Amino acid sequence: MTRFHASLVDTSVLDSIASFCKTVLAPEARMTDREARFATHHIKALSEMGIMGMNLPTEYGGMGLDPYTLLEAMANISGTCASTGSMVSAHFLCSDSIKFGGSEEQKQKYLPSLASGEKLGAFALTEPSAGSDPASMLTKATRAGDHYHIKGTKHFISNAGAADVFVIYAKTDPAAGGKGVSAFVVEKKNGGITLGKAEPTMGLRGAHAFEFSIDARVPAENRLGDEGSGLRTAMKTLDAGRIDIAMCSVGIAEAAYAAALEWVKTRKMGGVNISTYQGLQWMLADMATEIAAARGLCLETIRKRAAGERYSIEAAMAKLFASEMAGRVTDKALQIHGGYGFTQSYDVERYVRDARIMRIYEGTSEIQRNIIARSLIAD
Ligand SMILES: Cc1cc2nc3c(=O)[nH]c(=O)nc-3n(C[C@H](O)[C@H](O)[C@H](O)COP(=O)(O)OP(=O)(O)OC[C@H]3O[C@@H](n4cnc5c(N)ncnc54)[C@H](O)[C@@H]3O)c2cc1C
């Protein structure tokens, strides 16, 4: 793993997370994937490290990390066990929605138990017929006195199988398109959430995404922000999420690159080390260059975020490039391993499978291109 410059990050935090990754996550990563074991078995250890609250300020029980350290840590976690990284990322989407969209009272009420890992969060935007276009969602929240009746179906929701706190997006004004979406905090213990199936997936096999239906009375005080502000909260949350996914992609690519580098240094063919083949050297050169380019885009995005500037376009560019880069780099790493790379005896095939989702969730590559192009034309 390379890192952002030491002047930008908290090296002692990153060192302890790196050691945690090595000793706790790494030994179980292959098993978590192979057995599709829900990565929640790591929550206790992650909580003890403060990782479940890395994205939150100290006043809500979080670690209060600067964004460089936070995102570098996420790269390390995902490069070690992408299923665990994905579970943590989805948890952050829930607590970030409350952080960005909630009142002070709501933050005080929900964030400390999410920060400590006592409660697991889920972020429920996608529906069976509303993925890339959340404004077309069908879930409705109908006001009835001091409650809303929320009814609908959400799809592909990470963590839903074990989550205690859901941020659910629903239409309070179905005629108003995207401007009619509101966000709600829904606690599973209050009932009304019925879990459906978690589809087996090609990668991130330890990060289960569930369908669920909701038919629940939710107190009006659980609405985050004004009626109609839901998509704004979701988009702010997804800006933070997209740079997170970009750095998780960097982490997976770096793990694959490190495995490939190690392989060429040790694998011999007729007494000749394969690192002497120029074809493989060039692959490694391209891999290292692409990772560095993705890191550069992420760095600029994080700089803007740290400075309090808008970074939606940069986050879209970073996610687009880093996720596609992770596809190319992990594929080359497998190729460098030859037939061994295709077997389950090595981690590299897992990296290929885990990297694939990065181009899809939190906005597909096509949607990132739409966001970038719209801003170019508007400029
Ligand atoms: C493992 C996993 C975990 C997930 N976790 C969560 C979660 O925790 N919470 C949550 O809310 N969602 C989650 N998702 C959902 C994910 O964000 C969506 O799958 C994603 O946004 C794409 O939506 P879709 O699957 O409906 O594809 P669709 O929107 O149906 O897209 C199909 C194709 O059409 C393309 N397309 C769509 N619109 C356009 C356009 N305007 N221009 C060009 N091309 C377009 C897409 O790029 C794609 O190639 C998860 C998904 C998976 C697989």
Side-chain angles (χ1 to χ4, degrees), residues 231-252:
L231 273 196
R232 271 206 309 282
T233 299
M235 293 309 133
K236 212 166 172 194
T237 301
L238 287 172
D239 282 347
R242 284 169 184 159
I243 181 63
D244 178 52
I245 298 303
M247 284 299 289
C248 291
S249 303
V250 166
I252 297 171

Side-chain angles (χ1 to χ4, degrees), residues 86 89-91 93 121-134 154-160 167 169 199 201 203-204 207-210 212 238 242 357 359-370 374:
S86 180
S89 296
H91 178 74
L93 290 177
F123 167 89
L125 185 65
T126 303
E127 299 187 0
S129 59
S132 298
D133 178 20
K154 295 289 177 181
H155 192 49
F156 286 140
I157 306 305
S158 304
N159 295 353
V167 171
Y169 291 85
E199 297 274 2
T201 49
L204 289 191
H208 302 177
F210 282 80
F212 70 84
L238 287 172
R242 284 169 184 159
I357 187 63
R359 282 182 261 172
I360 296 172
Y361 68 2
E362 300 200 29
T364 62
S365 286
E366 292 70 40
I367 294 304
Q368 305 313 315
R369 288 188 175 94
N370 285 350
R374 260 201 310 272

